[in-house]
Amino acid sequence: MRTRPLKVALLGCGVVGSEVARIMTTHADDLAARIGAPVELAGVAVRRPSKVREGIAPALITTDATALVQRGDIDVVVEVIGGIEPARALITTAFENGASVVSANKALLAEDGAALHAAAEKYGRDLYYEAAVAGAIPLVRPLRESLAGDKVNRVLGIVNGTTNFILDKMDTSGAGYSEALDEATALGYAEADPTADVEGFDAAAKAAILAGIAFHTRVKIGDVHREGITEVTAADIASARRMGCTVKLLAICERAADGASVTARVHPAMIPLSHPLASVREAYNAVFVEAEAAGQLMFYGPGAGGSPTASAVLGDLVAVCRNKLGEATGPGESAYTRLPVSPMGEVVTRYHISLDVADKPGVLAQVATVFAEQGVSIDTVRQQGKDGEASLVVVTHRAPDAALSGTVEALRKLDTVRGVASIMRVEGE
């Protein structure tokens, strides 16, 4: 074993960063044995240096992150500060000064991953980011390495623990969205500002990263169709239950049947209770990967939190340190297919549409005519009426999303349709 330690700079010492530092200290001997050399925490960049950080020597703390990554003796930089800047500049500076990088920054990777990979390649460094997608769940490395000889056609999953907790509580307790969000906040699953989670931004960033790796093409967060869960109601949950379904926020990345394009989307969807994702409870994540040779693979586990995310960071740290000792680098960006990302309108989906309609003869015929004119086939219809008012629930067969959207707009124009109570896609069948 080499006795000279590999030096690690830690950018950020919040929930994840502090746990990374703790594990590096308490498991130092094991990490050294697995890597082939000891690892040393050489500096920790923070914004508030006066805060007491148990287990970290005060001499290691600095507010000058740029100076830390410019030292020249740093072997690996662990970036867990998040956001676009200064993280992007710090990572690039680390590469320029001889360090490889382990990051958990999904937002930056989904926005500017191509440029970061190009910088890593230019300077002969590693860029690893297992923790950016699904916490402790090994997903990036299986896609990037274990399935490198296979053809992945679809990635489908629950990649945000906060929204899964909220939807699960709405389903199991009958709570409304606001009540479930309040409980998630009280338990620490939701941030004080939950927008990134509940509006689907977090899941969309992860979908962009997964699609890029799975399909060997460049997908940015702006390419991902995004819908959050703020409009999901208790009535939607009840409707799903009557269909033998539950509601989940899904990230779906697919290769087109002809192989000429890909799609990436995040939105709430009804899935059958028989589907394995339906049983994913509380703040857990689960992802299905469908490959030609391997078939269906499922990855399941805690998708967030200090310890699970730190586990993924440390796994990358070990791999990058091993590469350093061997004077090699791991796999970089693979974007050779250059496949275009199709717009949501071209995606083939199913819809569950709930309409408030007049309770009189001929209404169903009018509604059916609209679907026929838009080229959308109806799977099932359920109607209930009382005192001149009725509800009509229509579940469609698969059709282009643009045609389904056009159908909804045409339905709104019917005099007999009082309103569209809810619209939700149906997946997993």
Side-chain angles (χ1 to χ4, degrees):
M1 178 185 292
R2 193 181 86 166
T3 57
R4 183 170 64 84
L6 292 160
K7 294 188 177 183
V8 178
L10 179 60
L11 306 183
C13 197
V15 173
V16 176
S18 59
E19 190 66 8
V20 169
R22 185 192 68 79
I23 295 173
M24 284 185 63
T25 302
T26 58
H27 295 261
D29 291 342
D30 286 336
L31 290 173
R34 294 166 191 171
I35 292 169
V39 287
E40 172 188 316
L41 188 58
V44 182
V46 299
R47 287 184 296 175
R48 295 184 293 275
S50 59
K51 182 179 177 181
V52 176
R53 293 172 170 86
E54 187 176 348
I56 299 177
L60 295 178
I61 301 296
T62 179
T63 57
D64 194 342
T66 301
L68 178 59
V69 299
Q70 285 179 333
R71 277 176 34 172
D73 65 336
I74 300 297
D75 294 290
V76 184
V77 169
V78 175
E79 184 272 307
V80 288
I81 56 178
I84 305 300
E85 292 292 357
R88 173 166 46 198
L90 291 169
I91 289 173
T92 302
T93 302
F95 291 146
E96 293 171 352
N97 286 272
S100 290
V101 173
V102 173
S103 177
N105 196 333
K106 52 188 167 286
L108 177 57
L109 288 159
E111 177 63 34
D112 211 18
L116 294 178
H117 276 292
E121 183 177 2
K122 176 181 177 181
Y123 293 102
R125 316 300 177 208
D126 273 327
L127 175 62
Y128 276 48
Y129 44 89
E130 184 68 66
V133 175
I137 304 173
L139 192 56
V140 170
R141 197 168 299 143
L143 284 172
R144 197 159 69 162
E145 299 178 31
S146 303
L147 295 173
D150 208 338
K151 181 180 180 182
V152 176
N153 291 316
R154 193 171 194 237
V155 179
L156 165 73
I158 298 164
V159 295
N160 182 272
T162 301
T163 51
N164 198 59
F165 179 89
I166 292 170
L167 293 173
D168 182 48
K169 288 301 174 184
M170 291 176 70
D171 185 34
T172 57
S173 70
Y177 168 77
S178 296
E179 296 171 271
L181 174 58
D182 287 344
E183 184 174 354
T185 304
L187 292 171
Y189 293 128
E191 301 287 345
D193 179 2
T195 302
D197 292 322
V198 300
E199 294 292 356
F201 290 101
D202 175 85
K206 295 170 181 176
I209 294 169
L210 291 174
I213 299 170
F215 307 134
H216 303 278
T217 194
R218 288 178 178 168
V219 180
K220 299 178 69 173
I221 191 169
D223 298 321
V224 181
H225 174 82
R226 175 191 55 80
E227 298 172 30
I229 66 166
T230 56
E231 301 300 319
V232 177
T233 66
D236 293 327
I237 302 293
S239 292
R241 194 177 298 114
R242 284 193 290 270
M243 288 177 58
C245 294
T246 190
V247 177
K248 298 291 186 182
L249 182 73
L250 298 180
I252 305 171
C253 310
E254 295 177 304
R255 190 190 299 267
D258 62 3
S261 64
V262 299
T263 60
R265 50 195 165 106
V266 168
H267 55 72
M270 296 181 178
I271 58 173
L273 294 175
S274 58
H275 195 284
L277 290 178
S279 62
V280 178
R281 305 290 302 280
E282 298 195 331
Y284 276 74
N285 285 189
V287 178
F288 264 91
V289 176
E290 299 177 8
E292 283 196 357
Q296 287 191 338
L297 307 172
M298 182 173 175
F299 301 83
Y300 171 84
S307 293
T309 306
S311 171
V313 169
L314 267 296
D316 278 349
L317 178 63
V318 169
V320 170
C321 286
R322 286 171 175 169
N323 291 343
K324 277 277 184 179
L325 290 180
E327 298 182 349
T329 55
E333 183 188 33
S334 175
Y336 72 93
T337 63
R338 296 183 176 85
L339 296 173
V341 182
S342 297
M344 186 63 190
E346 296 179 12
V347 175
V348 177
T349 63
R350 299 179 67 204
Y351 266 25
H352 173 281
I353 305 171
S354 180
L355 305 171
D356 295 325
V357 299
D359 187 15
K360 62 181 184 180
V363 173
L364 182 56
Q366 288 183 345
V367 169
T369 297
V370 168
F371 278 89
E373 289 173 348
Q374 297 291 325
V376 178
S377 176
I378 294 175
D379 183 14
T380 62
V381 177
R382 185 177 71 251
Q383 184 174 7
Q384 293 179 324
K386 185 179 180 181
D387 299 328
E389 297 295 329
S391 63
L392 191 66
V393 177
V394 180
V395 179
T396 72
H397 286 292
R398 291 170 63 83
D401 200 79
L404 290 162
S405 297
T407 301
V408 172
E409 291 306 308
L411 289 171
R412 294 184 195 274
K413 297 176 182 178
L414 291 179
D415 293 337
T416 51
V417 174
R418 310 296 193 214
V420 179
S422 71
I423 308 167
M424 190 169 295
R425 294 177 182 86
V426 181
E427 298 285 345
E429 295 185 326

